[in-house]
Amino acid sequence: MIEVKQLHKTFGKLTVLDGLDLSIKSGGIFAVLGPNGSGKTTLIKCILGMVIPQKGEIIYDGEEIIGKSDYRNKINYMPQIANFPANLSVIELIEMVKNLRPKEARETELISLFGLEPHLDKKLGNLSGGTKQKVNIVLAFMFDSNLIILDEPTTGLDPIALISLKELIQKAKNEGKTILVTTHIMSLVDDIADEIVFLLDGKIYFKGSVPQLKEQTGEAQLEHAIANLLRKQNV
């Protein structure tokens, strides 16, 4: 599904991705982990074409995608921060996104799942952070795409909404889709991830399943296993 080869990205003198190689197969849930500044969001934005690397290749579904844009119509993306136009209502935003992306949408069931019916006519600028995040989830899941990228999707969610999000992700996996998620919530990773990609200083220091990481580090809890990886790198 995704092949990243020798990806380099710098911002001024700061190296964010340092010859990164990564292979993500089709189907499954892949958690991209790492401390702040490790390169997680930059990697995602390179895949989405929002950041252009200085060197390397990114191949999606057999096609080199750097410098191209049409392939993005086949990807669902949920950004970490939902910067919505404050003057639009929730329903106006949903309709605008549907007009921009002429694919069949299933927003009605998602609106119901996250209890957004009372908020549809409210201006986005008047919503709480958690409600905006629910709108963000609706936009990310309402189109049928084989690749779904979620950048810190749990921010501001209440426990019930978090359970609904987990169910959505699992349903997408069961439909054969590939889900790429970044998160600091290790309980979410433990519950849903088929594979972990651990980034540090723009390089991959671990790629494998949660049980494999726990076995490698000798830790029973994922938080401790991640901390063990960090200690070994003297972070």
Side-chain angles (χ1 to χ4, degrees):
M1 160 88 42
I2 303 172
E3 292 286 340
V4 177
K5 300 179 181 179
Q6 283 297 296
L7 206 64
H8 289 261
K9 180 60 187 177
T10 61
F11 294 101
K13 295 182 179 180
L14 178 65
T15 298
V16 182
L17 299 176
D18 190 9
L20 188 143
D21 291 304
L22 175 63
S23 178
I24 298 291
K25 66 182 180 181
S26 180
I29 302 167
F30 301 84
V32 182
L33 308 180
N36 291 336
S38 61
K40 304 186 300 295
T41 296
T42 299
L43 171 61
I44 283 175
K45 288 185 175 180
C46 284
I47 293 171
L48 290 165
M50 300 165 67
V51 169
I52 304 301
Q54 278 88 2
K55 297 179 183 178
E57 293 180 273
I58 303 175
I59 299 167
Y60 173 56
D61 272 355
E63 176 187 4
E64 167 60 58
I65 59 175
I66 293 178
K68 300 178 181 178
S69 60
D70 289 349
Y71 72 94
R72 279 182 271 180
N73 289 323
K74 299 187 288 184
I75 299 175
N76 289 358
Y77 171 52
M78 180 177 172
Q80 182 174 353
I81 300 173
N83 289 318
F84 299 137
N87 62 322
L88 290 183
S89 69
V90 172
I91 194 63
E92 286 172 339
L93 175 67
I94 290 172
E95 291 301 321
M96 183 182 75
V97 173
K98 286 170 63 178
N99 289 334
L100 289 172
R101 194 172 183 184
K103 295 177 67 175
E104 183 178 351
R106 53 165 188 157
E107 75 278 10
T108 302
E109 63 183 89
L110 294 168
I111 288 168
S112 176
L113 179 64
F114 289 98
L116 287 173
E117 292 94 340
H119 304 285
L120 291 178
D121 293 319
K122 294 180 182 178
K123 299 298 183 184
L124 289 152
N126 296 330
L127 298 181
S128 68
T131 303
K132 287 181 182 177
Q133 192 71 338
K134 293 175 184 178
V135 175
N136 207 10
I137 294 170
V138 171
L139 297 179
F141 281 88
M142 70 180 187
F143 298 110
D144 184 23
S145 296
N146 289 328
L147 176 60
I148 304 168
I149 298 179
L150 310 171
D151 195 1
E152 296 289 349
T154 63
T155 303
L157 292 183
D158 58 77
I160 294 175
L162 180 57
I163 291 171
S164 296
L165 174 61
K166 288 181 183 179
E167 291 174 351
L168 266 184
I169 294 172
Q170 289 286 3
K171 181 181 178 183
K173 173 192 169 180
N174 294 339
E175 292 171 350
K177 302 183 189 309
T178 303
I179 303 96
L180 203 60
V181 56
T182 74
T183 182
H184 287 93
I185 308 301
M186 293 301 101
S187 59
L188 177 68
V189 177
D190 221 347
D191 286 346
I192 68 170
D194 296 306
E195 197 161 81
I196 290 172
V197 178
F198 184 79
L199 288 182
L200 188 61
D201 297 329
K203 297 180 179 180
I204 294 175
Y205 282 82
F206 176 84
K207 185 176 183 289
S209 68
V210 172
Q212 286 170 337
L213 177 58
K214 291 178 178 179
E215 181 179 356
Q216 177 178 315
T217 58
E219 301 286 356
Q221 295 184 353
L222 182 58
E223 291 91 341
H224 294 167
I226 294 294
N228 188 301
L229 278 181
L230 290 169
R231 282 195 297 269
K232 287 182 178 179
Q233 301 305 321
N234 298 315
V235 175

